[in-house]
């Protein structure tokens, strides 16, 4: 642990500010709480929101897992894990089941989460309406009025043009029937895991200075139309390593001729599944 | 003067995690692990919440302020104490029978519903698996909870405020070492 | 057989070693001393302090050395350190009329009380590379010392009631943008704070656009002054202000023509810029952008990017911008895979539709010819 910095880098005033904002975020599911995001020693866009949330949560009894694209060994996940090992001295793990706090970028683990676990998402753009309306003053008003016509029109135009909704990740959800919310850029494959999750889910956007939350056992509905229900991605392949037919797959180019193979994006799940298959 | 947390960093952290879980899983009582001493009429569990969450940037309203409590809070947490309950980020209710109407406190603005008060209410007792049924985000089906010592009008006032969601007030109830949260979204079910 | 990529931890460790080696360069060459950076690269130090929001020459020099001269990286280093510093209090408002001026020019009057003072400036250097070693120069003491307090040029216009009057203390207490999130609409104090931390290059481009017709600005450089200003604090237990030191500042007051509107009579209006150290380009750019952002208050038509406060203030910060642009280096396998499978579906659909149409055309043509 680096002794010149406070536990988990942030000073106690900042942690209190984050903790108050997190409690409000949980109390108003899916609503984006503005917070005094601090300048972190990692770049904006690289998980500063998630890092601040994790820093406000962590204590000496925690076991931290950090994943990026579902994998523990991607460089940015390694770097964030290293940061907390250095500034908080917390135990870290690559096993989903062993973690008390999981910080993630772009995935929800395949292994079902439990009530005693907290999932922290890194969020680049917390505003689901931002690509449709760049002005914050306008999007705030739309949320205040629960006026999400703009998003419905966008999805409907997709259907008119392509025959189905052309959004494959960061697929907008309605939380507790009230706030339109960005699930962060997870593939829509992961959206069903948000609905009535046993684990608390916290979202941090450092650059945009917003926090939000989806409490456990809360209705999270992926937007759809009666005649165009929500669907998740499916593969014709199974994981080439563990044989899973249920997990989200990464496509890997393995030679110069463009030969592809498909493997689990969740490396912990893949390893566990393989070990079970061998046993 | 009384002391505050023995270990400010970790005592607050452990308390916060319980508060967070309490807010995420409403109507289920939990124990606060680290209680600091508190001057009368504040009980240690209420003081633990104030010490965990409040500092010079938060406005705190005390229902029954006295020299010792205000001194204690100013010295240990540097909290800004306010006279008008409408200005409070956090309000401490030490006598629920005589508390001001709930809609006295800030319920947020339509664009910023988070700019609302959090209330800490000291009650004689709170028990799970008894009393009224609650539902809402964070509650799997229903949760049963009895909170003693609240006037009947409290629940009527809370129901009236609930029509203004997402505006609202978030509540923590404390009794001895126990604490339970009722965020604005938690509904009291008619029996 | 394929195995999932492992070894991120090791790769990072090796990369850090390579970076350290590259940063140091040939060990036979002496390492840069912080005093050398502070004294000989002082304008770089000023920029890092200004955009890093921390007046500390030594730390800024350290950051520049650690960042191998990448100013944005140095600013980032300083900001990340600044986050962890405790706050002891706030200073009294700085009084720049009491600046010990080293440079002071006005583009609006040939001569002004206190005089035009060029001071150390690159303006008239002719930009010829000096190939030889720097020759030490003995400066000559002026015959008449500069006035201790120089009146502001804009105050001369104020006497004639030709320029808008902005009373000291009329602005609300500014919020601290490093503690509170930026909210819209932002008042002028908040906007100025954002601009003062903003990227010099971004502000320069925005300011330039206002001169080229993207916002009607008609600016004049009313006054630019640079020098030392005392910093005062008023500790609660003392009850009176004490001086804790002085800092170098550059201040720019632009004068802009205004034909009147929104209940305001025709008069000159002001744009304001302030920067730490010698930071004239930044202060001037800031003043032009500040003025452009006052369009709503003055009832001016707002159509240009520099007048759009959400656009300007949300994109001015180079630590935010640099982080987000560069985050594209991070893996996006998962989202890319999602897009890949979507595109394959759309593309297959396109081919199917095209072939359907192809088959449909002859039949239709046949029907038409029969009709």
């Amino acid at each position: 642990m680096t002794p010149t910095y406070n536990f988990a880098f942030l000073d106690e005033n900042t942690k209190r500010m984050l903790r108050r904002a997190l409690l409000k975020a949980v109390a108003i599911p899916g609503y984006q709480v503005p917070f005094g995001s601090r300048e972190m020693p990692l770049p904006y866009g690289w998980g500063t929101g998630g890092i601040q949330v994790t820093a406000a949560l962590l204590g000496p009894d925690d076991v931290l897992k950090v994943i990026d694209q579902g994998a523990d060994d991607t460089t940015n996940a390694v770097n964030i894990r290293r940061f907390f090992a250095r500034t908080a001295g917390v135990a870290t793990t690559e096993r989903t089941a062993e973690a008390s706090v999981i910080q993630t970028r772009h995935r929800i683990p395949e292994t079902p989460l439990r009530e005693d676990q907290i999932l922290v998402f890194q969020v680049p753009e917390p505003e689901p309406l931002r690509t449709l309306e760049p002005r914050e003053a306008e999007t705030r008003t739309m949320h205040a009025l629960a006026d999400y016509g703009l998003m419905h029109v966008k999805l409907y135009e997709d259907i008119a043009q392509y025959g189905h909704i052309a959004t494959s990740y960061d697929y907008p959800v309605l939380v507790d029937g009230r706030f339109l919310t960005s699930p962060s850029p997870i593939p829509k494959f992961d959206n069903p895991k948000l609905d009535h999750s046993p684990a608390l889910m916290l979202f941090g956007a450092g650059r945009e200075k917003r926090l939000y939350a989806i409490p456990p056992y809360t209705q999270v509905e992926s937007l759809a139309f009666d005649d165009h229900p929500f669907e998740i991605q499916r593969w014709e392949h199974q994981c080439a390593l563990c044989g899973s037919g249920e997990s989200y797959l990464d496509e890997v180019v393995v030679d110069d001729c463009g030969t592809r193979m498909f493997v689990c994006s969740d490396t912990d799940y893949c390893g566990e599944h393989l070990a079970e298959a061998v046993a | 003067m009384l002391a505050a947390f023995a270990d400010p960093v970790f005592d607050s952290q452990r308390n916060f995690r319980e508060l967070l879980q309490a807010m995420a899983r409403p109507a289920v009582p939990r124990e606060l692990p680290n209680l600091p001493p508190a001057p009368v009429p504040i009980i240690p569990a209420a003081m633990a919440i104030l010490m965990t969450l409040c500092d010079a940037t938060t406005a705190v309203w005390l229902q029954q302020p006295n020299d010792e409590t205000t001194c204690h809070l100013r010295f240990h947490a540097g909290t800004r104490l306010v006279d008008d309950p409408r200005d409070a980020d956090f309000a401490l209710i030490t006598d629920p029978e005589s508390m001001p109407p709930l809609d006295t406190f800030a319920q947020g603005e339509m664009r910023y519903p988070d700019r609302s008060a959090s209330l800490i209410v000291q009650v004689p007792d709170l028990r799970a698996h008894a009393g009224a049924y609650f539902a809402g985000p964070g509650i799997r089906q229903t949760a049963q909870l009895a909170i003693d010592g609240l006037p009947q009008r409290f629940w009527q006032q809370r129901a009236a405020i609930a029509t203004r969601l997402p505006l609202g007030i978030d509540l923590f109830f404390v009794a001895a070492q126990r604490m339970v949260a009722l965020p604005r979204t938690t509904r009291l079910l008619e029996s | 057989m394929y195995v999932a990529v492992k070894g991120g931890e090791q790769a990072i460790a090796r990369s850090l070693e390579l970076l350290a080696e590259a940063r140091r360069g040939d060990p036979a060459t002496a390492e840069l001393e912080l005093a050398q950076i502070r004294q000989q690269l002082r304008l770089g130090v000023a920029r890092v302090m200004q955009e890093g929001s921390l007046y500390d020459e030594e730390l800024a020099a350290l950051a520049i050395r650690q960042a191998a001269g990448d100013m944005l990286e140095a600013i980032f280093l300083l900001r990340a350190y600044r986050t962890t510093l405790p706050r002891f209090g706030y200073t009294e408002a700085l009084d720049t009329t009491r600046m010990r001026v080293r440079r002071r020019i006005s583009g609006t009057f040939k001569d002004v009380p206190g005089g035009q003072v060029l001071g150390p400036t690159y303006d008239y250097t002719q930009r010829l590379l000096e190939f030889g070693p720097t020759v030490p120069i003995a400066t000559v003491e002026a015959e008449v010392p500069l006035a201790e307090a120089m009146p502001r040029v804009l105050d001369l216009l104020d006497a004639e009631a030709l320029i808008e009057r902005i009373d000291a203390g009329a602005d609300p207490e500014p919020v601290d943008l490093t503690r509170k999130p930026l909210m819209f609409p932002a008042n002028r104090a908040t906007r100025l704070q954002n601009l003062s931390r903003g990227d010099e290059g971004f502000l320069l481009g925005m300011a330039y656009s206002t001169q080229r017709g993207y916002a009607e600005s008609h600016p004049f450089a009313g006054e630019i002054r640079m020098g030392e200003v005392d910093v005062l604090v008023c500790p609660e237990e003392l009850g009176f202000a004490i001086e804790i030191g002085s800092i170098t500042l550059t201040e720019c007051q632009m004068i802009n023509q205004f034909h009147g509107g929104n209940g305001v009579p025709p008069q000159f209006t002001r744009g304001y810029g302030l920067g730490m150290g010698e930071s004239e380009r930044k202060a001037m750019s800031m003043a032009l952008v500040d003025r452009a952002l006052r369009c709503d208050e003055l009832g001016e038509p707002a159509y240009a990017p520099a007048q759009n406060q959400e656009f300007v203030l949300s994109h001015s910060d180079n630590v935010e911008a640099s982080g987000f642009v560069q985050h594209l280096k991070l893996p996006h396998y998962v989202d890319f895979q999602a897009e890949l499978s979507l595109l394959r579906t759309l593309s297959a659909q396109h081919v199917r539709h095209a072939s359907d149409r192809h088959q449909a055309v002859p039949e239709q043509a046949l029907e038409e010819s029969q009709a």
Side-chain angles (χ1 to χ4, degrees), chain C residues 31-340:
Chain C
E31 188 179 24
L32 272 174
E33 284 171 26
L34 298 186
Q36 290 175 314
I37 298 171
R38 278 178 71 167
Q39 291 168 31
Q40 296 172 37
L41 299 177
R42 70 183 203 294
L43 301 182
V45 168
R47 178 172 181 195
V48 171
M49 293 195 304
Q50 175 60 38
E51 292 171 32
S53 300
L54 184 66
Y55 197 99
D56 189 315
E57 293 180 354
E58 190 80 4
L59 288 177
L62 183 68
I64 290 171
R65 185 172 70 183
Q66 191 175 326
D70 177 345
M71 290 307 184
L72 269 61
E73 182 68 24
I75 290 161
F76 185 9
L77 283 169
L78 204 59
R79 291 234 197 134
Y81 179 72
R82 181 189 190 277
T83 295
T84 67
L85 296 176
R87 309 252 155 148
F88 299 117
Y90 291 84
T91 69
E92 303 282 289
L94 297 171
D95 184 0
T96 52
T97 60
R98 305 190 61 81
M99 178 185 278
R100 291 182 290 285
V101 163
R102 283 195 282 140
R103 171 167 166 79
R104 188 255 204 146
I105 54 167
S106 168
T108 51
F109 294 101
K110 189 169 181 184
D111 203 359
V112 282
Q116 304 251 18
V117 183
L118 277 189
T121 175
Y122 275 87
D123 286 353
Y124 307 104
T125 54
Q126 303 188 338
R127 273 86 184 193
L128 301 176
L129 281 175
E130 293 162 8
F131 293 102
T134 315
V135 186
I137 302 255
T139 53
V140 185
E141 203 60 27
E143 285 165 22
V144 187
L146 290 175
E148 277 205 4
M150 290 198 192
R152 285 212 179 92
V153 172
L154 274 69
D155 293 343
L156 305 175
L157 289 166
D158 191 32
E160 250 188 289
L162 285 178
I163 192 157
E164 64 173 330
R165 179 165 287 172
I166 294 176
D167 294 321
D171 282 333
E173 193 68 20
V175 296
D176 184 343
L177 276 182
T178 65
R179 300 267 140 173
K180 293 260 156 71
L182 176 63
M183 298 288 193
F184 297 109
N187 62 28
R188 193 174 177 206
T190 307
R191 298 197 301 259
L192 285 169
Q193 192 182 161
N194 171 286
L195 297 179
S196 82
R197 285 161 55 81
D199 181 74
E200 180 175 322
F202 175 82
L203 292 185
L204 180 66
M206 279 288 136
Y208 181 42
S209 75
T210 69
Q211 292 178 285
R212 290 195 66 263
Y214 289 92
E216 242 174 292
S217 74
H218 312 289
F220 298 94
E223 181 178 349
I224 296 156
R225 54 169 64 193
M226 181 276 289
E228 278 62 51
V229 177
D230 292 334
V231 179
L232 306 172
V233 292
C234 185
E236 211 173 313
E237 61 273 25
L238 279 186
F240 55 88
I242 52 166
E243 185 198 314
I244 55 166
S246 66
I247 60 176
T248 306
L249 292 173
T250 303
E251 181 185 57
C252 171
Q253 297 228 53
M254 286 286 177
I255 300 175
N256 296 67
Q257 205 186 87
F258 177 59
H259 295 297
N262 208 15
V264 184
Q267 59 182 324
F268 288 123
T269 53
R270 301 165 190 251
Y272 187 77
L274 186 74
M276 292 174 186
E278 292 165 64
S279 52
E280 202 160 282
R281 191 190 298 118
K282 168 75 185 272
M284 293 179 75
S285 304
M286 178 177 164
L288 290 174
V289 177
D290 167 48
R291 177 59 186 80
L293 289 174
R294 295 180 61 201
C295 56
D296 288 343
E297 161 201 351
L298 296 168
E300 293 171 326
Y303 56 88
Q307 294 173 306
N308 182 331
Q309 58 162 278
E310 279 217 35
F311 182 83
V312 173
L313 304 182
S314 302
H315 302 115
S316 62
D317 192 287
N318 57 31
V319 177
E320 288 175 13
S322 166
F324 201 49
V325 166
Q326 296 203 61
H327 106 284
L328 293 173
K329 290 184 278 195
L330 293 179
H332 286 78
Y333 320 137
V334 165
D335 340 2
F336 188 72
Q337 185 60 44
E339 288 295 84
L340 208 55

Side-chain angles (χ1 to χ4, degrees), chain A residues 188-245:
Chain A
K188 65 178 181 175
F189 178 89
D190 283 340
N191 273 26
K193 298 175 193 166
L194 298 165
D195 185 37
H196 288 90
S197 156
L200 169 63
M201 293 181 285
L202 304 173
F203 298 76
R207 192 178 43 78
E208 297 286 341
K209 302 167 181 62
R210 300 288 185 270
L211 296 175
Y212 54 101
I214 300 178
Y217 305 120
T218 297
Q219 188 192 44
V220 180
E221 183 195 346
S222 301
L223 293 194
F225 297 96
D226 287 344
D227 49 346
H228 286 273
F230 175 77
E231 284 175 350
I232 62 169
Q233 288 102 338
R234 306 230 171 263
W235 283 261
E236 292 161 13
H237 314 77
Q238 292 179 328
C239 171
L241 298 179
C242 76
S244 171

Side-chain angles (χ1 to χ4, degrees), chain A residues 6-7 12-13 15-17 19-20 22-24 26-29 31 33-34 56-62 100-101 114-118 136-137 140-141 144-145 176 178-179 198-200 202 215-218, chain B residues 8-10 12-14 16-17 19-21 23-25 50-58 77 89-90 110-118 136-140 165-166 168-170 172 183-185 187:
Chain A
N6 192 26
F7 180 83
E12 291 302 303
N13 281 323
K15 286 185 198 166
R16 267 192 294 274
M17 176 272 295
R19 288 167 182 169
R20 290 191 298 265
L22 286 171
L23 288 172
K24 283 294 172 202
V26 173
I28 316 168
Y31 163 76
V33 181
L57 293 175
L58 281 187
D61 317 327
D62 277 308
S100 58
V101 176
R114 300 185 309 261
E115 290 190 349
D116 60 344
Q117 295 178 307
I118 298 178
E136 171 74 6
R140 278 269 147 192
T141 306
L145 302 173
D176 189 31
R178 178 58 181 80
F179 281 103
L200 169 63
L202 304 173
Y217 305 120
T218 297
Chain B
V9 173
F10 298 124
S12 328
Q13 186 270 336
R14 291 196 176 98
F16 168 67
R17 287 290 282 276
L19 293 171
L20 181 67
Q21 287 296 348
M23 193 61 96
R25 300 167 200 283
L50 289 173
M51 293 278 171
T52 299
L53 298 176
C54 299
D55 53 35
T57 60
T58 44
D89 299 316
F90 286 84
M110 280 312 281
R111 286 152 171 253
Y112 297 101
D114 58 304
R115 296 178 181 171
S116 49
S118 302
I139 301 174
R140 196 170 187 175
L165 279 170
I169 289 167
D170 307 307
F172 291 104
R184 63 193 73 189
T185 50
R187 299 184 308 277

